[in-house]
Amino acid sequence: MFARRIVVVGSGYVGLTTGACLASLGHKVICADVDAAKVTRLKAGEVTILEPRLAELVAEGLAAGRLEFVLGARNAVADAEVVFLCVPTPMGSGGAADLAAVESVIAEVRELLPSGCVVVNKSTVPVGTAARVHELLDRADVAVVSNPEFLREGTAVHDFLNPDRIVVGSSAQDAAERVAALYAKLGAPTVFTDAPSAEMVKYAANCFLAMKLSYVNAMAELCERLGADVADVTEGMGYDRRIGQSFLQPGPGWGGSCLPKDTHALVQVAEAVDFDFMLLRASIDTNTRQRDRMVAKIRDAVGGVLDGVRLAVLGLAFKAGTNDLRDSPALAVAEKLRAEGAELVAFDPGIPAAVPGMTDAVRVVSDPYQAAEGALGLVLLTEWPEFRTLDWPRVAGLLAGKAVVDTRNLLDADVLRRAGLAWHGVGRSPVA
C-alpha cells in the first residue's frame, strides 16, 4: 500500500479519529481545525475527547512524524493528495442538515487544492452534497468522493480499524479506488457506488437503528402494561439472525450527535421530493414520548409529585464510555424533571464538573455517594457499568427514600432489594 499525503479538515470525534487512525496505517496526515486552543492542545498530544485508544494513537502519530496539527485548512492543503471533510453538519432550520461549515471550507481551499487532489465528504451530509461540493469547487481537475463514517462514540477507534464495510461513492472511478486504497490494510468489504447512494447509506443505516430503538422502547411500554418482561422478550428476539441482538436495549430514548439530526434530516430530504416518511416520523415521535414516559415513571416512584423533591442522578452523557453531552437523553430527562421543580444532584464518570450551557439543570458532583445523600429517589440515566458495583447498602443509607428508577435496566434488582431499595426498570416489573 502506498502512503498518501492526507489532510483532515476538522478535529472533532470523526476528524480526530480519522486522522489518528489513518496515520496509524502509515499515511502522512495533517489535521486542520479552526479552534486555535484545540490545535495547541493536540500539538502537545492532549486529547480531551473520552475515547479508548485515541490519545495513544495521537501520541504515536506525533512521535512518528506521521500526524500533524495546524490552524486553518488553507495552511494544510497545498501538497494534499486526499482532503477529508470532517466538519460539523448540525441540525439546521426545520431539521435539515446545516452545510455552512462544508461550504466555508470549500470556499477557503478551492483555489489552493493541487491538481489531481481528491476531496472526500466524511461528514454525514444529505444526498446531493457531493454534487454541490463539486459545483462549489468548480475544478474539473479535483474529484469529489463520498466516504461516510460508521463510528460509534466509545468505540470509534475500534470501529475505524475493524470496519464492517467501507462505502465509497463517486462517478470518478480512479478517485474512488484511490480512497478505497487508503483502507487496504483493514481488509474490509468495500462497496463502490455513486455518490448519492453512498450518502444515502449513512442516513439509511442510522435511521434504521433509530427506528429499532424506538420499536424496543414502545415494546417495553407494552410489556409493562401486559405483565411481560422486556428483557426476556428481547433475548428471544435477539437470537433471530434476521433481527440480531444489538440495539434491543430499552432506555430513556435515543440521542447523541448523530441519530437526532440524521432522522430529522432524512425527513426533510424526503419531504423535498414529496415523500411522507411516516415510519421515520413515528419513530421520532416515539422517542420524544419516551422521555416524557421516563419522567412520569420517576414521578410515580417518588410519590406523584416532583416539585421540591431532591433526586440523585447517575449519568449525564448520552452513552457510557463518552463525555459527549450533545442531544443526551439523560440531559433531556433531567431538564424535564427540573421543569417540574425537582432538585437534581448528578454524577457522571466522564463529566467531572459542570459544563455551562449543558448541565444547567443539575448540580454536578464528583462522587456518586454525594449525589445520593438526602435524595428522595435515585435515577440512573446513562449505562456506565461501574454503577452496577456501587456500594448499594451505603447508597440506601444515604438516600432519604427507597426508590431507584433504572431507565437502562442496568442494575441487579435483587442486589438493590437486599439493600432495602425499590428497583423500577423499563419494561419490567418493579422489585422491592
Side-chain angles (χ1 to χ4, degrees):
M1 182 191 75
F2 292 104
R4 295 292 188 183
R5 297 187 304 278
I6 298 170
V7 170
V8 177
V9 182
S11 296
Y13 264 102
V14 174
L16 188 57
T17 301
T18 298
C21 288
L22 287 172
S24 77
L25 296 177
H27 302 293
K28 171 67 176 177
V29 181
I30 300 176
C31 290
D33 202 276
V34 295
D35 186 332
K38 181 192 291 186
V39 170
T40 299
R41 290 194 302 268
L42 290 171
K43 283 183 175 180
E46 298 176 14
V47 177
T48 58
I49 296 171
L50 184 59
E51 190 66 48
R53 292 190 62 200
L54 184 56
E56 290 82 354
L57 286 188
V58 169
E60 291 170 8
L62 289 169
R66 292 193 301 267
L67 185 61
E68 182 182 348
F69 296 95
V70 301
L71 180 64
R74 66 182 301 108
N75 297 317
V77 301
D79 298 320
E81 295 179 75
V82 182
V83 176
F84 282 90
L85 303 182
C86 299
V87 295
T89 54
M91 191 187 308
S93 177
D98 183 350
L99 299 179
V102 173
E103 295 177 353
S104 176
V105 170
I106 295 303
E108 181 180 357
V109 304
R110 183 176 69 84
E111 296 180 359
L112 302 173
L113 295 172
S115 181
C117 177
V118 178
V119 173
V120 181
N121 277 333
K122 196 72 170 170
S123 304
T124 302
V125 292
V127 175
T129 301
R132 173 62 175 158
V133 168
H134 185 75
E135 177 185 353
L136 291 172
L137 282 170
D138 193 24
R139 292 277 302 271
D141 59 337
V142 175
V144 179
V145 171
S146 177
N147 173 221
E149 53 85 13
F150 301 98
L151 307 179
R152 298 167 297 169
E153 292 187 35
T155 59
V157 170
H158 177 273
D159 292 346
F160 190 103
L161 298 176
N162 301 272
D164 295 325
R165 75 292 202 194
I166 305 294
V167 177
V168 183
S170 179
S171 58
Q173 182 176 349
D174 176 66
E177 291 176 352
R178 284 169 60 191
V179 172
L182 300 176
Y183 305 97
K185 282 187 177 180
L186 303 180
T190 300
V191 178
F192 287 102
T193 184
D194 55 83
S197 298
E199 292 164 339
M200 181 60 89
V201 166
K202 179 58 186 290
Y203 280 107
N206 274 4
C207 292
F208 180 84
L209 295 176
M211 290 190 292
K212 192 173 182 182
L213 286 169
S214 284
Y215 176 82
V216 78
N217 281 334
M219 188 58 63
E221 181 175 1
L222 189 58
C223 285
E224 289 180 13
R225 297 190 181 201
L226 296 176
D229 188 317
V230 74
D232 293 340
V233 172
T234 54
E235 181 182 9
M237 291 171 60
Y239 284 114
D240 188 327
R241 287 172 292 182
R242 298 168 301 173
I243 298 173
Q245 297 183 1
S246 64
F247 284 76
L248 285 182
Q249 293 74 40
W254 40 266
S257 62
C258 293
L259 298 190
K261 73 179 183 66
D262 291 352
T263 49
H264 282 89
L266 190 55
V267 166
Q268 290 294 311
V269 167
E271 289 180 352
V273 291
D274 199 27
F275 175 68
D276 185 359
F277 207 149
M278 292 183 288
L279 182 60
L280 187 54
R281 284 196 291 104
S283 297
I284 296 170
D285 293 342
T286 297
N287 194 52
T288 301
R289 184 175 182 276
Q290 183 71 359
R291 298 173 180 185
D292 292 331
R293 198 169 85 82
M294 294 302 100
V295 172
K297 182 181 287 290
I298 295 162
R299 186 191 309 115
D300 291 344
V302 297
V305 177
L306 288 169
D307 190 23
V309 171
R310 179 171 175 175
L311 297 173
V313 174
L314 296 183
L316 295 172
F318 94 94
K319 65 181 286 190
T322 81
N323 57 358
D324 194 349
L325 295 169
R326 290 175 294 176
D327 259 311
S328 169
L331 284 183
V333 171
E335 288 164 1
K336 289 177 179 291
L337 293 171
R338 185 70 187 89
E340 292 198 26
E343 176 191 352
L344 307 176
V345 184
F347 168 76
D348 187 297
I351 315 293
V355 180
M358 298 292 283
T359 61
D360 298 343
V362 304
R363 177 163 68 90
V364 179
V365 296
S366 58
D367 181 88
Y369 304 104
Q370 183 182 353
E373 189 171 1
L376 187 62
L378 182 147
V379 182
L380 188 151
L381 291 171
T382 309
E383 72 283 15
W384 288 93
E386 48 263 59
F387 291 155
R388 287 182 61 91
T389 56
L390 291 178
D391 183 342
W392 286 102
R394 180 183 175 189
V395 173
L398 292 168
L399 289 171
K402 295 183 176 181
V404 174
V405 180
D406 180 3
T407 70
R408 299 284 187 167
N409 289 349
L410 175 75
L411 306 175
D412 188 323
D414 288 334
V415 169
L416 269 66
R417 176 183 55 79
R418 289 194 295 269
L421 296 169
W423 179 85
H424 304 262
V426 178
R428 308 186 72 185
S429 298
V431 175

